[in-house]
Amino acid sequence: MEAAIRHMVVFNLKYDKDDPRAKDFIETAKKVFAGIPFARNVMQCWEISPKNNYTYGFSFDFMKPEDYESYNNHPDHCKFVEERWNTEVTDFMEIDFKEM
């Protein structure tokens, strides 16, 4: 079964790529996302194209819209957004795709 929703976010942190705080942010995100059962095929990526101004990317698949909503409202996700994302991410863009 194909995923119903592919959720992607590209972003920049207020730290340089080599800063230990950037690594901590990514490692913490990995742990948080691993504990959310609704997110599948979780990827954490570096941007390699010079055409894009973002440095990092996360990608998730959700099998049904309800799983996506459960992820968005999951207490661990909400805590990560409040404590880390809102204080360490300088800019971002979210993309949510549904297959046509």
Side-chain angles (χ1 to χ4, degrees), residues 64-86:
K64 54 189 179 191
E66 296 83 12
D67 290 347
Y68 179 61
E69 287 305 314
S70 295
Y71 156 81
N72 273 324
N73 297 316
H74 193 280
D76 293 342
H77 175 258
C78 293
K79 182 179 178 183
F80 178 78
V81 168
E82 183 179 322
E83 294 178 0
R84 300 295 300 266
W85 187 272
N86 289 343

Side-chain angles (χ1 to χ4, degrees), residues 1-7 38-39 61-73 96-99:
M1 173 195 247
E2 295 283 329
I5 296 172
R6 176 156 293 152
H7 171 67
F38 317 104
D61 289 341
F62 298 95
M63 302 314 287
K64 54 189 179 191
E66 296 83 12
D67 290 347
Y68 179 61
E69 287 305 314
S70 295
Y71 156 81
N72 273 324
N73 297 316
D96 296 310
F97 285 117
K98 181 176 179 175
E99 188 173 3

Side-chain angles (χ1 to χ4, degrees), residues 2-67:
E2 295 283 329
I5 296 172
R6 176 156 293 152
H7 171 67
M8 295 181 285
V9 60
V10 290
F11 62 98
N12 290 320
L13 293 171
K14 62 182 181 180
Y15 319 115
D16 290 332
K17 229 169 139 174
D18 297 329
D19 190 306
R21 294 171 293 182
K23 182 177 181 180
D24 181 67
F25 181 93
I26 299 299
E27 290 301 317
T28 300
K30 271 186 197 178
K31 291 174 188 169
V32 169
F33 300 148
I36 300 176
F38 317 104
R40 301 182 184 270
N41 303 321
V42 177
M43 291 180 62
Q44 294 177 305
C45 311
W46 294 103
E47 177 57 58
I48 60 169
S49 172
K51 299 175 196 173
N52 189 324
N53 292 325
Y54 295 100
T55 304
Y56 306 95
F58 295 152
S59 175
F60 311 83
D61 289 341
F62 298 95
M63 302 314 287
K64 54 189 179 191
E66 296 83 12
D67 290 347

